[in-house]
Amino acid sequence: MKIMPNRLDKGFGMYQKEFEQKALEVLRSGWYVLGNEVKQFEEEFAAYTRTKHCVGLASGLDALWIAFRVLGIGAGDEVIVQGNTYIASVMGITMNGATPVFVEPDEYYNIDVSKIEEKITEKTKAILVVHLYGQASDMKTIMKLVQKYNLRLVEDCAQSHGACFDGKMTGTFGDIGCFSFYPSKNLGAFGDAGAIVTNDNKIAEDFRIFRNYGSEKRYYNKLVGTNSRLDELQAGLLRVRLSHMEELTEERIKLCNIYLNEIHNEQIVLPTVRKGATTVWHQFVIRCRNRQELIDYLNAKEIGTIIHYPIPPHLSEAYSYLGLNKGSMSVTERYAEEVLSIPLYNGMTLEEQKYVIKAINTFQLSD
Ligand SMILES: Cc1ncc(COP(=O)(O)O)c(C=O)c1O
């Protein structure tokens, strides 16, 4: 049996008729950018996240960089972010000229809240919380710090659509919640797409203007903005997927509970869930002290895996200018060497999963 780490075709097949119908409807409408589908999607996603506003954008990265831009955070300012995130989180900060200040992750792969305070300086303007792999961060402690130091809070929810902390959805704690709808995300489009949610009227308005060349009214440009519009086709297809979000999330939870209950191997570290948090299992991430051996072993059995992420942002060439060397973030770097995402996707069969579980359970490190 051959098992890929992800199968987007299966997610399409689950609601194929609805997707095809919607695509045809949009194609025949003659209106392709910022129209009724986008408006409807924004309303429906705001309702889903229980926020006042959603603004559709072209990508998750755009959501992040425009977020700091709208908050007026730029050169000379510092933003706190966890070290073990996808590099786009950091780019959202640095594209505005601001400086990322990295904090080590905790055992749940989210920011270690006990290590934030020591990184706060008078230049610190915001915390960027990343709810990595689908699990909500410790928002109770983060909110206390945000209030104590009067900081802005941006949430990177690219991997956490629908995940909650103490019953409140990720993306709704701070000033702005940033979402990606890249095809492999839990709520995935069929191309690039993103959005922000906010309860602040002014922030929502600023995003609407900025995403459309800074124009408030056609051909009246208030500021130098960008083109980061969500198109009608993606919005329409996202509406179809969003209408099934509960069952899609339920399915991921069910699949991951099977992994949690049935993977038994002392050489593998399984993920755990924080008290008060929920996870929507964007990835099922395990750890192994000799990861390459595990990858090779699974490959030989035609089981594909992915590393999220092999090079932490502070060690990537792009951020060499920050001057952070190997060894400067020991937990982040250890995770980068040990984490492995095993196959997980909507539409995964029990047979496929049993095959993966059996393989992992019989794996043994050579030393
Ligand atoms: C944590 C995180 N932040 C930001 C992004 C950027 O989103 P996009 O690919 O839509 O630009 C992604 C995904 O790619 C992500 O996983």
Side-chain angles (χ1 to χ4, degrees), residues 12 32 59 61 82-83 89 114 117-118 121 136-137 153 242 244 269 285 291 328 357:
F12 168 64
Y32 305 119
S59 73
L61 174 60
Q82 69 195 66
S89 314
S114 70
E117 213 158 2
E118 66 202 53
T121 69
S137 307
L153 176 63
L242 182 60
H244 297 288
V269 181
V285 177
R291 178 177 61 196
S328 61
I357 291 166

Side-chain angles (χ1 to χ4, degrees), residues 18-59:
E18 288 175 66
F19 285 129
E20 287 175 354
Q21 225 172 340
K22 179 56 79 178
L24 276 178
E25 201 185 300
V26 175
L27 291 175
R28 287 170 180 156
S29 74
W31 194 284
Y32 305 119
V33 175
L34 292 187
N36 195 44
E37 292 294 338
V38 171
K39 190 166 172 293
Q40 297 282 321
F41 172 72
E42 289 177 340
E43 281 173 21
E44 288 161 10
F45 196 65
Y48 174 76
T49 53
R50 295 174 232 134
T51 46
K52 245 165 117 178
H53 307 280
C54 165
V55 182
L57 301 163
S59 73

Side-chain angles (χ1 to χ4, degrees), residues 58-158:
S59 73
L61 174 60
D62 279 3
L64 289 160
W65 83 263
I66 302 172
F68 292 107
R69 160 92 202 209
V70 161
L71 293 176
I73 293 172
D77 297 331
E78 291 177 355
V79 177
I80 285 180
V81 63
Q82 69 195 66
N84 62 326
T85 185
Y86 182 54
I87 202 157
S89 314
V90 185
M91 288 185 178
I93 299 168
T94 60
M95 282 166 79
N96 289 286
T99 305
V101 174
F102 297 111
V103 172
E104 295 273 34
D106 59 17
E107 70 208 87
Y108 309 101
Y109 306 110
N110 282 325
I111 193 163
D112 184 339
V113 293
S114 70
K115 294 181 181 154
I116 295 178
E117 213 158 2
E118 66 202 53
K119 295 287 176 86
I120 295 176
T121 69
E122 66 224 25
K123 290 184 183 167
T124 310
K125 290 288 170 344
I127 300 179
L128 171 59
V129 175
V130 188
H131 305 290
L132 202 72
Y133 306 149
Q135 179 167 183
S137 307
D138 175 0
M139 294 314 296
K140 195 172 168 190
T141 312
I142 290 165
M143 290 315 290
K144 278 191 196 147
L145 292 169
V146 163
Q147 275 144 22
K148 183 172 171 189
Y149 293 96
N150 194 22
L151 302 173
R152 308 310 293 255
L153 176 63
V154 178
E155 292 171 78
D156 183 340
C157 307

Side-chain angles (χ1 to χ4, degrees), residues 105-329:
D106 59 17
E107 70 208 87
Y108 309 101
Y109 306 110
N110 282 325
I111 193 163
D112 184 339
V113 293
S114 70
K115 294 181 181 154
I116 295 178
E117 213 158 2
E118 66 202 53
K119 295 287 176 86
I120 295 176
T121 69
E122 66 224 25
K123 290 184 183 167
T124 310
K125 290 288 170 344
I127 300 179
L128 171 59
V129 175
V130 188
H131 305 290
L132 202 72
Y133 306 149
Q135 179 167 183
S137 307
D138 175 0
M139 294 314 296
K140 195 172 168 190
T141 312
I142 290 165
M143 290 315 290
K144 278 191 196 147
L145 292 169
V146 163
Q147 275 144 22
K148 183 172 171 189
Y149 293 96
N150 194 22
L151 302 173
R152 308 310 293 255
L153 176 63
V154 178
E155 292 171 78
D156 183 340
C157 307
Q159 307 189 1
S160 72
H161 316 75
C164 293
F165 188 83
D166 278 347
K168 194 169 153 65
M169 279 227 184
T170 53
T172 69
F173 286 84
D175 299 285
I176 303 166
C178 301
F179 289 84
S180 164
F181 306 123
Y182 180 76
S184 63
K185 302 303 186 206
N186 286 27
L187 175 59
F190 292 79
D192 277 309
I196 59 103
V197 297
T198 182
N199 286 315
D200 186 306
N201 298 345
K202 169 89 169 56
I203 287 175
E205 193 50 28
D206 286 351
F207 263 96
R208 286 187 196 288
I209 293 170
F210 198 82
R211 75 171 169 186
N212 198 16
Y213 303 113
S215 107
E216 219 170 357
K217 205 163 73 166
R218 204 167 198 189
Y219 305 131
Y220 287 85
N221 298 75
K222 203 173 154 183
L223 45 87
V224 181
T226 188
N227 173 358
S228 183
R229 299 175 298 218
L230 180 58
D231 67 69
E232 287 286 281
L233 197 54
Q234 298 308 336
L237 297 170
L238 281 167
R239 289 183 66 204
V240 172
R241 186 108 63 190
L242 182 60
S243 72
H244 297 288
M245 207 47 197
E246 249 163 66
E247 69 221 42
L248 286 165
T249 304
E250 278 304 311
E251 187 189 22
R252 296 183 91 85
I253 292 172
K254 208 171 134 205
L255 288 165
C256 291
N257 281 338
I258 293 175
Y259 272 151
L260 286 174
N261 290 328
E262 299 191 16
I263 295 178
H264 303 287
N265 185 328
E266 284 184 353
Q267 287 156 339
I268 304 290
V269 181
L270 291 173
T272 53
V273 183
R274 182 195 312 279
K275 194 163 167 275
T278 63
T279 172
V280 291
W281 295 109
H282 175 56
Q283 303 293 347
F284 191 89
V285 177
I286 61 174
R287 286 204 331 268
C288 179
R289 80 185 144 79
N290 189 341
R291 178 177 61 196
Q292 195 53 49
E293 214 176 298
L294 177 59
I295 293 172
D296 294 343
Y297 165 88
L298 292 174
N299 266 344
K301 294 186 179 298
E302 297 199 290
I303 297 171
T305 51
I306 305 185
I307 301 168
H308 295 101
Y309 300 92
I311 303 172
H314 74 283
L315 296 183
S316 76
E317 200 180 331
Y319 287 116
S320 55
Y321 74 85
L322 292 172
L324 296 165
N325 298 325
K326 198 164 165 54
S328 61
M329 299 200 69

